[in-house]
Amino acid sequence: MGKELGKPRLLGGRYRLMSPLSRDSAGIMWRAHDLRLRRDVSIKEVQPPFRGNGADLGHARRRALREARSAGRLSHPAVISVHDLLEERGRLWIVMEMLEALTLRETVEHLGHLPIRWTAWIGFQLLAGLRHAHGAGVLHRDIHPGNILLTGERVVLSGFGIAALNGDPSVSTTIPISCSPAYVAPERLRGMPASPAADLWSFGASLYFAVEGRAPYPESDGLSALERVTGGEPDPPVRAGPLLQVLEGLLRRDPGGRVIADHAARLLSQVLRTEGVVVGPPQLPVTRLPPDAFTV
């Protein structure tokens, strides 16, 4: 509950919960105000999963700590900023920057699909943040269109709830039920551990969704995961144009043959120049929006 006795709840003596923004299986996202720094923030109220006869508070605590520590060690305009982590009244709360944004999923569902230049620009921005995370040793492990936020000025990767440090032996190779199967790399479906290459496959699948208006594999078909393990290939994209080389390189089944992040960044910058969008070198964040960005 955000209010008690008719007054907004105050967390940690400084964060005033105002109203719920969204709810999913991982928790409730709240709009809140930081009284100390006088700024609006978003706060995730982490919902523990239920196992057996009750809530698994230990799992919720580990997940919240992983999300806050993984995102908290990163500082990049294309990665959500985490400000604080609280445990109060038996619940966990992650304090993050407040963004007025639509997800990539919401945007594509509204427009049907995105033009090539928008998709390439989103990919170029997002890949800069993903390269920053990988450089810091953080694997996201759950990239999909619902975790990609579009503000009109920034593309921001969120949803670090199952992120892990690269090479951490304590992280399970099991794919959490909260993951979107259509965006999970084939090798992970075969039980292999997460890797930067697996994140890049999920990144490529999200770009495929953006430009085609659908996932590379059916999102509602439970058999699609089995088909992918046994060698099924996605339908070739029909709207990708110059993005085809990028998508084919990112969506290769063999992680050893998949394009690396630096190569993908160069390919995306070439597509943007072909589309008349001026961008800086691939290692730098984009600062100029493409023409008519995020408008119908």
Side-chain angles (χ1 to χ4, degrees):
M1 296 292 291
K3 296 183 178 181
E4 294 179 353
L5 300 177
K7 296 182 179 180
R9 175 185 289 183
L10 192 64
L11 295 176
R14 64 180 287 188
Y15 303 110
R16 191 176 300 283
L17 296 184
M18 305 304 294
S19 60
L21 294 171
S22 62
R23 178 194 297 263
D24 59 24
S25 60
I28 304 172
M29 189 68 75
W30 292 87
R31 178 187 294 274
H33 187 72
D34 182 348
L35 299 178
R36 186 174 301 169
L37 297 181
R38 299 182 180 179
R39 63 180 178 183
D40 288 341
V41 295
S42 60
I43 299 182
K44 178 188 287 188
E45 177 185 358
V46 180
Q47 299 283 88
F50 280 81
R51 304 179 190 277
N53 296 322
D56 189 344
L57 296 177
H59 176 86
R61 182 176 289 104
R62 289 190 298 271
R63 182 185 177 114
L65 285 170
R66 185 183 299 125
E67 178 167 6
R69 288 172 177 169
S70 297
R73 68 186 293 172
L74 305 177
S75 179
H76 193 279
V79 174
I80 192 78
S81 295
V82 171
H83 302 315
D84 202 355
L85 175 64
L86 305 172
E87 184 169 1
E88 188 167 301
R89 303 182 188 183
R91 299 185 188 183
L92 293 150
W93 311 79
I94 303 174
V95 183
M96 295 174 278
E97 63 176 315
M98 182 69 207
L99 294 175
E100 300 290 348
L102 291 175
T103 67
L104 177 60
R105 178 177 296 281
E106 292 168 336
T107 303
V108 171
E109 288 176 348
H110 175 65
L111 298 177
H113 67 93
L114 300 187
I116 290 169
R117 71 181 185 276
W118 293 9
T119 304
W121 181 79
I122 288 169
F124 191 85
Q125 283 266 63
L126 188 65
L127 188 55
L130 186 58
R131 292 165 74 199
H132 173 75
H134 288 172
V138 176
L139 302 175
H140 189 280
R141 304 203 303 160
D142 193 23
I143 297 172
H144 61 79
N147 278 337
I148 299 169
L149 306 179
L150 309 178
T151 72
E153 296 180 350
R154 292 168 60 195
V155 179
V156 181
L157 182 60
S158 65
F160 281 79
I162 63 169
L165 299 182
N166 194 8
D168 184 350
S170 68
V171 177
S172 171
T173 59
T174 303
I175 300 171
I177 194 171
S178 59
C179 278
S180 299
Y183 300 93
V184 176
E187 66 270 18
R188 291 198 62 207
L189 293 173
R190 297 194 297 268
M192 294 176 63
S195 67
D199 270 355
L200 286 170
W201 195 97
S202 301
F203 165 72
S206 299
L207 294 189
Y208 184 110
F209 171 80
V211 76
E212 294 292 308
R214 59 185 176 86
Y217 292 91
E219 296 192 61
S220 59
D221 183 1
L223 295 177
S224 63
L226 179 61
E227 292 172 356
R228 289 161 60 190
V229 170
T230 57
E233 297 291 344
D235 292 335
V238 297
R239 297 188 173 103
L243 281 171
L244 181 61
Q245 184 180 3
V246 184
L247 296 180
E248 287 181 342
L250 289 168
L251 295 177
R252 290 173 184 163
R253 293 180 56 80
D254 176 12
R258 207 167 290 155
V259 299
I260 63 173
D262 290 354
H263 187 195
R266 288 194 296 270
L267 291 175
L268 286 168
S269 66
Q270 291 169 9
V271 172
L272 286 168
R273 286 195 291 271
T274 300
E275 292 292 310
V277 180
V278 178
V279 296
Q283 68 269 23
L284 299 177
V286 176
T287 57
R288 177 177 294 182
L289 296 172
D292 304 319
F294 311 126
T295 58
V296 180

